[in-house]
Amino acid sequence: MQTAGLFISFEGIDGAGKSTHITGLAEAFRAQGRAVVLTREPGGTALAEKLRDLVLNDAMDPLCEALLMFAARRDHLQQVIEPALARGEVVLCDRFTDATFAYQGAGRGFDLAVLRQLEQWVQASTEPGARLRQPDLTVWFDLPPAVAAQRLAGARLPDRFESQPQAFFERVAAGYGARMQQDPGRFARVPSDRPMEQVWLAVRQAFEQRGWLGAEVTK
Ligand code: TYD
């Protein structure tokens, strides 16, 4: 029997420290013999990476921003995510639709009903009667925006989102909280205002609890 694919997304405000843990998880899954696809949104395909460049750097209105996020997502789902899941692989995706609800919805104040409609269209399955495609698990790195701001200060040149004021990130963080409330079983909230090793342990635990990773061998 073929192993079932696993679709995992990673979320949090800018500066929450997702990247290191995503790489660590890829290694852990590969060590167990699983094929892993590491990818990101917006992006993950040639077309979606072009859209990423536009949406992170060019001025545009919120509807345009939301449409481009979902256009990139559609291509990414069709070209990369769905085929990998069909092959039984583990897809580790740096951000997915919760980011659109948090950033465009809560952060920018864009109409959530329109976002829900786009989510229905873009994540619809081609199989009749199948449920909407959603991650099997979303790891939410929850970090107070004031701490994130300190971490980001003086990092690299900020993009259109990273340059937003702290109040924007307060709204984004609340937006993630609201998404989690609507579908708590899909989320693992990881408090991230603590040393990286502790955050890593909490991340690992979320996967071990679900039986997706074996207990870590201590070095
Ligand atoms: P990010 O994932 O933080 O990548 P990097 O680590 O290279 O900065 O950057 C992507 C940015 O795009 C981030 O600021 C959040 C934003 N974003 C949205 O506003 N909406 C979305 O739907 C997605 C996927 C990302």
Side-chain angles (χ1 to χ4, degrees):
M1 205 185 84
Q2 201 203 354
T3 323
L6 262 188
F7 180 25
I8 317 291
S9 66
F10 300 86
E11 299 285 356
I13 59 174
D14 292 271
K18 294 173 278 117
S19 320
T20 325
H21 303 296
I22 298 176
T23 314
L25 281 168
E27 281 171 20
F29 273 110
R30 284 179 182 137
Q32 292 195 168
R34 297 289 305 255
V36 175
V37 174
L38 269 179
T39 188
R40 67 171 181 183
E41 289 213 346
T45 68
L47 172 61
E49 289 291 332
K50 286 187 201 164
L51 296 176
R52 176 189 178 94
D53 189 39
L54 294 173
V55 83
L56 294 191
N57 298 302
D58 290 22
M60 62 186 70
D61 91 308
L63 174 57
C64 203
E65 195 174 287
L67 290 171
L68 289 183
M69 292 295 182
F70 274 108
R73 182 159 302 134
R74 177 74 180 175
D75 195 51
H76 191 209
L77 275 165
Q78 290 199 312
Q79 308 291 334
V80 175
I81 298 175
E82 294 294 353
L85 294 175
R87 291 191 300 267
E89 298 179 4
V90 179
V91 177
L92 302 180
C93 190
D94 188 344
R95 301 190 184 281
F96 194 64
T97 302
D98 299 310
T100 316
F101 279 83
Y103 279 77
Q104 281 64 53
R108 298 265 198 240
F110 188 69
D111 191 341
L112 295 181
V114 175
L115 297 184
R116 275 192 286 272
Q117 178 65 71
L118 291 167
E119 181 183 34
Q120 296 284 329
W121 284 333
V122 167
Q123 289 161 235
S125 168
T126 42
E127 293 163 36
R131 282 186 307 150
L132 218 58
R133 173 62 73 193
Q134 292 291 8
D136 297 298
L137 174 69
T138 297
V139 181
W140 172 27
F141 295 94
D142 189 14
L143 186 72
V147 180
Q150 277 171 2
R151 287 190 188 172
L152 283 179
R156 52 186 178 181
L157 205 61
D159 63 34
R160 285 178 65 233
F161 297 104
E162 289 160 345
S163 57
Q164 291 294 316
Q166 195 177 312
F168 175 82
F169 289 105
E170 303 278 359
R171 295 196 296 277
V172 172
Y176 278 124
R179 277 291 272 188
M180 178 166 165
Q181 255 186 357
Q182 286 156 21
D183 193 2
R186 176 165 66 81
F187 280 82
R189 178 182 156 272
V190 176
S192 301
D193 184 12
R194 50 186 68 175
M196 208 160 74
E197 304 75 56
Q198 282 179 31
V199 176
W200 170 245
L201 281 180
V203 171
R204 256 222 74 127
Q205 218 171 33
F207 287 80
E208 288 171 10
Q209 276 167 0
R210 288 166 178 79
W212 295 340
L213 282 178
E216 190 169 30
V217 185
T218 39
K219 289 164 212 144

